[in-house]
Amino acid sequence: MNWWNISVFYIIPIASVVFFFFWKRKYLWMAPLISTAISVVISLLAMPSILSDAEHRNMFFGISIMLHILIAVVLTVIAYAASRFLAKK
């Protein structure tokens, strides 16, 4: 895997969820939105050719971003479950 895959699908979603988990848990719902925006910006800066034709654009926004959102939402749900567990203790 190259640095783009690692950052977009691992580092950015995990970092955003962990940041909001430890900063303010009531804003944890923003983690998928913020991480998606950061991923789109990094992707466009790293590979501006994504927007060059319809095939690349559809693959990026249809597959890569949707997969990123899915990963970020799953991590957010796990963080919500962990916060509920910690609140009960």
Side-chain angles (χ1 to χ4, degrees), residues 40-57:
V40 168
V41 169
I42 286 176
S43 299
L44 292 176
L45 291 175
M47 297 177 286
S49 64
I50 289 174
L51 301 178
S52 65
D53 61 0
E55 182 180 357
H56 290 117
R57 189 174 34 249

Side-chain angles (χ1 to χ4, degrees), residues 5-83:
N5 286 330
I6 292 172
S7 65
V8 168
F9 295 118
Y10 296 108
I11 295 173
I12 294 172
I14 291 171
S16 66
V17 170
V18 167
F19 173 75
F20 283 109
F21 183 81
F22 287 113
W23 181 53
K24 290 213 181 221
R25 290 187 185 141
K26 70 179 183 177
Y27 296 128
L28 196 56
W29 62 270
M30 290 187 344
L33 302 174
I34 299 295
S35 68
T36 303
I38 292 170
S39 295
V40 168
V41 169
I42 286 176
S43 299
L44 292 176
L45 291 175
M47 297 177 286
S49 64
I50 289 174
L51 301 178
S52 65
D53 61 0
E55 182 180 357
H56 290 117
R57 189 174 34 249
N58 288 337
M59 192 168 21
F60 175 67
F61 287 111
I63 298 172
S64 297
I65 294 301
M66 292 304 144
L67 184 61
H68 173 83
I69 291 172
L70 177 69
I71 291 168
V73 167
V74 167
L75 289 173
T76 304
V77 168
I78 291 169
Y80 269 122
S83 69

